[in-house]
Amino acid sequence: MNEARRIPRSEWQLSIDQREKNAKISRRDAQHNQECHLCGRKMSKKASENALRVHMSVDGDLIETSAEVSDSQGFFPVGSECAKKLPVGFVRKPFRREV
Ligand SMILES: [Zn+2]
């Protein structure tokens, strides 16, 4: 059950500074009220609804999306650029009814 592949938070998390820079880049559009969970870039509500998801543990590690683990915090939207950098199995499409 707990043998799922993980990416520790220390390996994916950007510095606070870099996240703030990213958020500012896209802050001009007031509709951009959601953000990529990994880099902080803003995205529109619609984009975030359709965005790929990562599976996050309560400690902030990324978990294989297919894994069922006891410390899951749930699924969070990520931008397409960040999704591309993750290994196969660490992103998935949003559930139909998930908003
Ligand atoms: Zn991102």
Side-chain angles (χ1 to χ4, degrees), residues 7-72:
I7 302 174
R9 177 157 68 174
S10 57
E11 282 181 27
W12 65 262
Q13 195 168 51
L14 294 172
S15 71
I16 301 283
D17 278 1
Q18 189 59 53
R19 282 185 67 96
E20 283 184 357
K21 266 183 214 158
N22 288 342
K24 270 180 203 151
I25 290 169
S26 41
R27 196 169 283 160
R28 265 168 277 166
D29 186 340
Q31 293 228 295
H32 288 192
N33 49 9
Q34 309 283 327
E35 61 182 42
C36 168
H37 204 70
L38 298 190
C39 71
R41 281 194 176 81
K42 302 285 179 185
M43 46 181 153
S44 69
K45 187 165 188 292
K46 189 163 178 55
S48 80
E49 282 167 8
N50 294 321
L52 292 167
R53 300 289 198 271
V54 291
H55 191 187
M56 189 79 58
S57 80
V58 290
D59 291 327
D61 298 336
L62 302 182
I63 310 166
E64 261 181 301
T65 56
S66 60
E68 289 189 27
V69 294
S70 53
D71 62 341
S72 172

